[in-house]
Amino acid sequence: MSDSAKLTHLNDAGQPAMVDVGAKQPTRRVARARSRVVLGPDIIALVREGDLPTRKGPVFQTAILAGIMGAKRTSELIPLCHPLGLDNCQVTVEVDGPDAVLIECTATVTGKTGVEMEALTGASVAALTIYDMCKALSHDILIQETRLISKTGGKQDFHHAG
């Protein structure tokens, strides 16, 4: 971290403060985040037969809807986040190896602040929804590796090297 790096959500007195983005020019901003959910080989075997039907609906389709809803409501969940009218939000769920699924959330906005928190929230809420809907089959489900994969359109672009 550079010497000039500082926390942006603190004012000069060290108190919490929303970042003032009023002077910024709107740009197209895109962020992509990923969560990995280890379901175990038994649940993945059921998934490979098709999306798991439950009383709440198909697991992956429900998780996708929940992820989008979560991304849209990020400012209600995370203090000091600016409320954003997303231009787009896409959530995907795919099998990853013999025991897990990968969730990716891509959030897009034309605005004065980034959408990293929306993408991270979308991926997280989708992962939590999969846990909730599959917990009757196992409580050994593990949500892991929630991280930002990339962001573009702000002061500095970011792409995770891994």
Side-chain angles (χ1 to χ4, degrees):
M1 196 178 319
S2 73
D3 290 336
S4 64
K6 65 176 190 164
L7 297 174
T8 58
H9 287 87
L10 296 177
N11 64 19
D12 291 340
Q15 297 301 311
M18 183 178 256
V19 174
D20 183 355
V21 297
K24 290 184 171 184
Q25 292 300 311
T27 59
R28 183 159 178 83
R29 296 160 182 264
V30 180
R32 187 168 51 106
R34 178 183 297 154
S35 288
R36 186 170 189 265
V37 182
V38 179
L39 295 168
D42 294 340
I43 297 175
I44 289 295
L46 295 172
V47 167
R48 289 189 189 280
E49 296 173 11
D51 197 352
L52 293 172
T54 70
R55 288 184 179 158
K56 293 182 182 181
V59 173
F60 290 176
Q61 290 179 11
T62 304
I64 289 167
L65 291 172
I68 294 167
M69 291 170 63
K72 290 169 57 175
R73 300 189 75 163
T74 298
S75 68
E76 296 175 36
L77 301 169
I78 309 295
L80 306 177
C81 278
H82 292 85
L84 299 176
L86 296 178
D87 295 336
N88 195 3
C89 184
Q90 299 292 320
V91 176
T92 61
V93 181
E94 63 183 44
V95 173
D96 181 41
D99 65 350
V101 294
L102 278 181
I103 300 158
E104 283 200 4
C105 179
T106 303
T108 307
V109 70
T110 301
K112 297 179 177 190
T113 189
V115 287
E116 300 98 296
M117 293 310 300
E118 286 71 14
L120 286 161
T121 300
S124 298
V125 170
L128 289 166
T129 300
I130 290 173
Y131 183 97
D132 180 51
M133 296 182 77
C134 293
K135 70 182 184 244
L137 301 173
S138 173
H139 285 285
D140 289 324
I141 298 166
L142 177 64
I143 298 172
Q144 60 180 195
E145 299 175 1
T146 299
R147 67 171 309 135
L148 182 67
I149 300 301
S150 64
K151 76 174 198 80
T152 59
K155 184 177 7 175
Q156 178 177 317
D157 289 352
F158 168 81
H159 296 281
H160 173 61

